[in-house]
Amino acid sequence: GGVEHAVLHLLYARFWHKFLYDIGAVPTKEPFQRLVNQGLILGPDGQKMSKSKGNVISPDDMVKEFGADSLRLYEMFMGPLEDAKPWDPSGIVGLHRFLNRANNLVLKRRTLRDSSPSLTSQSDKIQQSLHKTIKKVTEDIKNFHFNTAISALMILLNELEKADAIPKEFYSVYCKLLFPFAPHLVQELWSLLGHKTLLDYESWPKWDERLIAEGEFDLIIQVNGRTRGTVKVAKEIPQNEAESVALASESAKKWIGTSPVKKTIFVKNRLINFIV
């Protein structure tokens, strides 16, 4: 394993492709448009896995205990694809629990009627969250940010669990988004929702930018009562979340710097004022 091994395969592939290009069999000089090096998964001790160190984790044992989907999901959730990261035995348990919750949710809601109830404010809010998640997961998959795509699916699951009267179609879209990460379980959930097709051949969901915009507003950021910038946030955002987002913004960093915040004034759906 390891990058050294992968580099050799890359060399072979480029060599053969260049030969095929020289004899006119392929139209491009290079076989790949982009290369992403995957980081090593280290042993629980933070060292490279090896039999001599006795820190090797057997994927077969993990599959027997938690299933292939949980293992697959955990490997993607551990961190950025290109980082080396240590195996944490407790980590897979959380992902296994997440898949169980998704399973229970569909089992509980699959008897809902297909026709959309008149969009209640709750259903409206979930529809906005759903479209935000479609956008986030689509863009994250494109950029190999699988860990943050899974985080977004966890946040949306929390919202779906709390809701009661929302269209069954929302669960179908959720299945499509979760399918690339946990294909075995999700294909079964798709069937339980009454679909007869294979998810592999279903079209990927599209998001509506207007719907996303409706659920957001420009939060005004003030420092000592003077407006220093704005940041897009979800409507009804609680104060603790608004503080985190605002403090991470460039305008707050510029005007607050290293000064301690003595007091925070928050006006819901309007502004946040840091007194320094």
Side-chain angles (χ1 to χ4, degrees), residues 192-212:
L192 286 173
L193 286 168
H195 301 289
K196 302 276 186 278
T197 55
L198 282 175
L199 268 165
D200 310 64
Y201 302 107
E202 284 293 315
S203 59
W204 185 252
K206 289 184 168 61
W207 70 88
D208 183 338
E209 204 65 63
R210 282 171 313 168
L211 264 178
I212 295 170

Side-chain angles (χ1 to χ4, degrees), residues 209-257:
E209 204 65 63
R210 282 171 313 168
L211 264 178
I212 295 170
E214 277 170 26
E216 295 179 328
F217 74 101
D218 288 323
L219 176 74
I220 296 165
I221 300 168
Q222 294 184 340
V223 179
N224 291 342
R226 303 187 84 164
T227 299
R228 298 301 187 188
T230 61
V231 64
K232 273 216 184 306
V233 293
K235 282 178 185 164
E236 307 300 320
I237 189 171
Q239 180 168 341
N240 61 335
E241 285 180 32
E243 279 182 31
S244 305
V245 175
L247 287 169
S249 70
E250 289 308 315
S251 42
K253 283 179 187 166
K254 181 181 170 186
W255 291 98
I256 296 171

